[in-house]
Amino acid sequence: MISEKSFKINPKDKLESKKRLVIISDTHITRSGGAFNLHAFNVGMEKINKIKDASLYLHLGDITQMGTLLEYEYALEQFKKFEPLSKSPKMIFLIGNHDAMNVGYLLFEEMVGTRHYTYEDDDIYIYGIDSTKPDLPGGIIHHSIIDSVRKKLEKPKRENKFKVVCFHHQLIPIPNTGKERSAIDDSGDMLKMLLEAKADLVLNGHRHISNLYTVSSSEKDLFIFNAGTFCCNKTRYRELFTYSIIDIDGNNLNFKVIPVLDSNSQREILRKVNYYIPLQIDKKQKPIARFIQISNSLVSERFESNFNNFDKALEKINKIDEVDLVVHAGNLTKNSFKEEFQIAKDKLNQLKHPYLVVPGYTDSKPLAWEYWKHYFGEFDPLYENDKIYFQGMNSTTLDSKEGFIGRKKLNKFTEKVLSLSHQKIFGVCCFHNLIPTPLSVWRTELIDSGDVLSQFARSQIDLVLNSSPSISFNIKIENTIFSNGGNLEGKYFEEVFIEIEIYKKGLVVLKEHNLRTGLIKVIGNYYISILI
Ligand SMILES: [Fe+2]
Ligand SMILES: [Fe+2]
C-alpha cells in the first residue's frame, strides 16, 4: 500500500558538528586587461576574512586569466590579502580552464598545489577534481577518474560523512548564461556516478553566475551549486561579484550568495537532504495517467517491407491498456524524405492510443518542414484531455544539430502551466535533451538549454520527455521528472521504449521495455507533488 510516510525518510543526521564552507570562484587575476576587478577583489577579501567560524575556504578555479607565469605570481601576491579570522584559515584552490591555458597546468602544480585535492575530517569528505582540457574552454573528467571518485565516495568509512565533490565546469546547464557551452563531455557518466555513490553536494564555477538545483535519484537528493564570479568583470545579467557561504548542519543546508559590493542584497536558500525508499505499489491500484516515450525510429523507405523495431514497439504498445498518450520525441525519419514521413505516419496510425510527435535532427533536412506540415500539421503539437495537458515543442533548426526553444515559446507555455497546473498533469517534450545521459558525449546542442531546464524545473511541470542518444536515464530536478529514453535505434544500445505511470499523490514510476530481451524493468521511482 502507498502511504505518504513511505516516500521520504530523514536518516540520522550525518554531521556531529556544523560546517561552514566559504566559496569563491573565477577571480581571473591579471595585471593587464579588463577581466580582473582589483577593487572587487580587495573589498571581497576584506569581507571573507571577517567571516566567523569558517571551516574551509574553497576557490573553484579560473584563479588567473591566462595561466601565465606573471599572472600566477601576481595572483599569489594578491592572495596574501587572505588573512581569515577563523581558526582554520585554509583556502583550497581548484584549477579552471583559464589556469590551464598556455601550459598553466604545470605552473598550477608547481606554485598552487595538486590538481586533485582531498579534505577530510570526521564529518565531511571533500574531493576536488581537475576538469580542464589544456587550452580548451570545455571540460572532461575521464572515465578512470569517475571510477576512482566512485570508489572514494563509496568507502564504508565515509558512509555517514557529508560528501562534497568539486570541479570547475558545470555539470548540468544553468540559467542566465546565454548560449550553453563548454560543459564537461562526460557529464552524464559523472552525474550518474554522483547519484549512485550518494554524494551530497557538487560545487561548480565557470559560468560566472550562481545557481542551485536539487537533483534527485530515486533514492536521494543531491545539490548542485554553481558559484558566481568573485571579481571578474565578465558578469552575467544582473549578478555582479559574489561569494557564497554554505552552512551544513546535519542534513540541513543553508546557501547564502552574497554580493561583494552590496552585502545587503544577499540571497539565502534553505534545503534539506532527503532520502527516499523504493515504492511498493498495490497491483490493483491504477495510475491516473500513463505515457509511452519513444524516439529514434529512423523510418527509412529502404526497410519499408521489413518488420523493424518501430513496428515491434508499436505492436507492444498496443497491448498496453489505458495509455493516455504515446510521445515520439524526434528522429522519426532517417533522411527527412517525403516517403519516410508517409510511412511513419501510416505506422503511427496503427496505434490504438493517442499520439504526439515532435521533429528531431534527422527530421529537419531541407523540405522536411513542408512534409511535416503536410503529414503531422503542428510543429508544436498539443494534446489535452480532462486530466492531461501535454505540449510538444519543436526544438530543431533546419538542417542543423543545434536546437533552440526560444523565450517566446517558453514563456507562453509556462504561463499556461501557471494557469492550469492545479487542474491537470503537465508534460512537455522536445527532441534535444536537457540533462546529460550516461555513455554518450554531452554536446549541449540545445543552445538555450540553461534557461529551458530552469524554467521547466521551476514551474509546475510534472514531466519532461526528451530523446536519448544512448541509454535511458531519468532524474528529478526540483519537482519535475526529466526522462531521456525510448531509443529505438538498435545500433550501439538495445532498443527500448519507456512506460511512465503517474499515481495518486504524485508517485511516478518509469519502466523500460526492452525489445531485444522482452524484459520490463523499473528504471525510476519518484515522488512529486502534484496539485490535482
Ligand atoms: Fe571563469
Ligand atoms: Fe572557466
Side-chain angles (χ1 to χ4, degrees):
M1 272 302 291
I2 298 164
S3 78
E4 213 156 334
K5 280 183 192 147
S6 63
F7 325 130
K8 256 187 205 179
I9 51 165
N10 296 315
K12 191 177 155 282
D13 284 350
K14 283 187 169 184
L15 289 183
E16 298 297 326
S17 59
K18 294 177 185 178
K19 294 284 168 200
R20 168 165 283 183
L21 306 180
V22 181
I23 315 291
I24 70 168
S25 191
D26 293 85
T27 42
H28 288 260
I29 294 171
T30 177
R31 226 185 267 268
S32 56
F36 178 48
N37 189 313
L38 180 61
H39 172 65
F41 182 86
N42 288 338
V43 176
M45 268 297 150
E46 251 177 61
K47 289 191 174 167
I48 63 165
N49 279 337
K50 287 182 194 152
I51 296 170
K52 286 180 189 152
D53 303 321
S55 313
L56 194 65
Y57 288 77
L58 295 164
H59 188 307
L60 299 177
D62 282 357
I63 301 156
T64 66
Q65 172 67 5
M66 300 287 281
T68 60
L69 180 59
L70 290 179
E71 284 187 355
Y72 272 108
E73 283 174 349
Y74 186 53
L76 293 180
E77 202 180 303
Q78 291 301 325
F79 273 102
K80 284 183 183 155
K81 296 169 191 166
F82 176 60
E83 293 177 311
L85 295 176
S86 298
K87 282 181 202 155
S88 309
K90 205 173 169 186
M91 183 176 294
I92 312 183
F93 292 90
L94 203 55
I95 187 167
N97 54 308
H98 281 258
D99 304 317
M101 286 166 83
N102 305 310
V103 206
Y105 50 91
L106 290 179
L107 295 172
F108 184 93
E109 287 176 317
E110 288 166 20
M111 299 168 77
V112 181
T114 54
R115 288 179 297 112
H116 301 277
Y117 65 67
T118 307
Y119 171 88
E120 187 165 23
D121 61 24
D122 291 343
D123 306 310
I124 193 163
Y125 175 65
I126 302 176
Y127 192 67
I129 307 165
D130 173 6
S131 60
T132 66
K133 293 177 186 173
D135 282 327
L136 290 170
I140 189 163
I141 305 281
H142 292 294
H143 67 271
S144 57
I145 308 275
I146 296 177
D147 282 351
S148 84
V149 178
R150 178 193 287 274
K151 285 185 190 128
K152 290 176 205 298
L153 294 174
E154 288 179 343
K155 279 221 163 114
K157 67 169 186 177
R158 296 188 178 127
E159 196 185 338
N160 291 318
K161 291 187 185 183
F162 192 87
K163 294 183 270 289
V164 187
V165 177
C166 318
F167 45 94
H168 179 66
H169 295 81
Q170 76 273 22
L171 183 59
I172 57 173
I174 57 168
N176 291 323
T177 52
K179 185 182 188 294
E180 173 60 22
R181 58 181 179 267
S182 64
I184 51 172
D185 290 347
D186 40 13
S187 273
D189 292 322
M190 189 64 180
L191 179 58
K192 182 171 178 277
M193 181 280 290
L194 291 164
L195 290 166
E196 287 174 354
K198 299 192 170 56
D200 296 289
L201 176 64
V202 169
L203 299 175
N204 298 150
H206 187 55
R207 298 302 267 155
H208 295 210
I209 198 157
S210 58
N211 186 67
L212 175 67
Y213 275 129
T214 308
V215 175
S216 315
S217 68
S218 297
E219 293 174 86
K220 188 181 163 292
D221 292 336
L222 161 72
F223 298 97
I224 302 180
F225 180 75
N226 263 81
T229 171
F230 189 61
C231 55
C232 177
N233 284 323
K234 188 184 176 190
T235 56
R236 288 204 159 92
Y237 193 43
R238 291 189 169 275
E239 183 173 300
L240 289 178
F241 320 112
T242 62
Y243 59 96
S244 309
I245 300 176
I246 305 174
D247 286 314
I248 308 161
D249 182 4
N251 286 309
N252 295 305
L253 297 158
N254 178 316
F255 296 86
K256 285 189 201 81
V257 176
I258 305 157
V260 167
L261 304 178
D262 176 19
S263 332
N264 294 328
S265 58
Q266 69 173 44
R267 282 181 293 140
E268 190 169 355
I269 309 167
L270 300 171
R271 290 280 189 271
K272 190 180 181 81
V273 184
N274 285 305
Y275 286 72
Y276 308 92
I277 55 170
L279 173 76
Q280 299 295 317
I281 302 160
D282 186 339
K283 279 193 176 146
K284 283 180 219 150
Q285 189 161 2
K286 281 190 172 181
I288 46 175
R290 180 179 276 125
F291 298 91
I292 301 290
Q293 178 184 10
I294 48 175
S295 67
N296 296 320
S297 302
L298 300 170
V299 169
S300 161
E301 53 180 341
R302 280 178 53 207
F303 303 113
E304 191 196 355
S305 51
N306 299 348
F307 186 78
N308 58 27
N309 292 335
F310 194 27
D311 299 299
K312 218 165 155 182
L314 296 175
E315 200 178 87
K316 286 218 176 225
I317 293 165
N318 270 340
K319 286 184 185 150
I320 303 173
D321 288 331
E322 296 178 34
V323 174
D324 289 280
L325 187 63
V326 178
V327 178
H328 194 295
N331 286 1
L332 185 61
T333 67
K334 192 162 196 263
N335 310 292
S336 304
F337 295 155
K338 189 179 181 187
E339 296 75 14
E340 294 174 342
F341 283 107
Q342 172 75 63
I343 298 166
K345 170 95 178 177
D346 290 345
K347 285 182 192 283
L348 283 165
N349 280 345
Q350 291 164 23
L351 277 171
K352 64 175 195 182
H353 314 295
Y355 68 85
L356 178 149
V357 204
V358 293
Y361 161 64
T362 60
D363 309 312
S364 65
K365 304 281 163 62
L367 290 182
W369 286 174
E370 309 247 330
Y371 305 144
W372 190 272
K373 225 179 196 167
H374 178 74
Y375 289 105
F376 296 102
E378 294 291 314
F379 290 102
D380 302 314
L382 171 70
Y383 176 78
E384 195 175 5
N385 67 19
D386 54 342
K387 52 185 181 181
I388 289 164
Y389 188 101
F390 200 100
Q391 181 71 60
M393 285 188 185
N394 175 18
S395 59
T396 62
T397 45
L398 200 58
D399 205 16
S400 163
K401 282 200 165 179
E402 280 202 341
F404 176 70
I405 297 282
R407 281 184 295 157
K408 193 176 166 192
K409 198 149 74 180
L410 202 54
N411 290 343
K412 209 174 134 197
F413 179 56
T414 37
E415 270 170 32
K416 198 79 193 169
V417 179
L418 273 176
S419 66
L420 279 177
S421 64
H422 55 292
Q423 295 168 14
K424 295 192 182 201
I425 287 170
F426 261 78
V428 62
C429 160
C430 67
F431 168 72
H432 292 88
N433 47 345
L434 299 163
I435 53 160
T437 305
L439 302 175
S440 60
V441 177
W442 175 229
R443 299 201 192 277
T444 55
E445 282 154 354
L446 191 74
I447 61 176
D448 52 353
S449 54
D451 294 327
V452 177
L453 172 63
S454 162
Q455 223 155 311
F456 285 175
R458 287 174 172 135
S459 55
Q460 266 293 331
I461 296 169
D462 306 296
L463 202 56
V464 178
L465 308 184
N466 304 122
S467 171
S468 169
S470 56
I471 58 163
S472 309
F473 185 60
N474 51 70
I475 53 170
K476 183 171 87 166
I477 303 184
E478 305 300 336
N479 191 47
T480 302
I481 309 290
F482 289 79
S483 170
N484 291 348
N487 188 353
L488 293 180
E489 185 191 11
K491 203 170 171 188
Y492 301 107
F493 302 96
E494 293 188 356
E495 44 284 66
V496 296
F497 68 85
I498 311 294
E499 179 184 359
I500 302 158
E501 297 167 323
I502 301 182
Y503 290 85
K504 253 199 274 180
K505 293 182 181 171
L507 302 168
V508 184
V509 181
L510 296 101
K511 293 179 204 164
E512 185 183 76
H513 292 246
N514 188 316
L515 295 181
R516 208 176 285 185
T517 63
L519 296 174
I520 303 171
K521 73 171 180 194
V522 173
I523 54 164
N525 198 325
Y526 300 91
Y527 172 66
I528 54 170
S529 23
I530 52 172
L531 303 175
I532 60 167

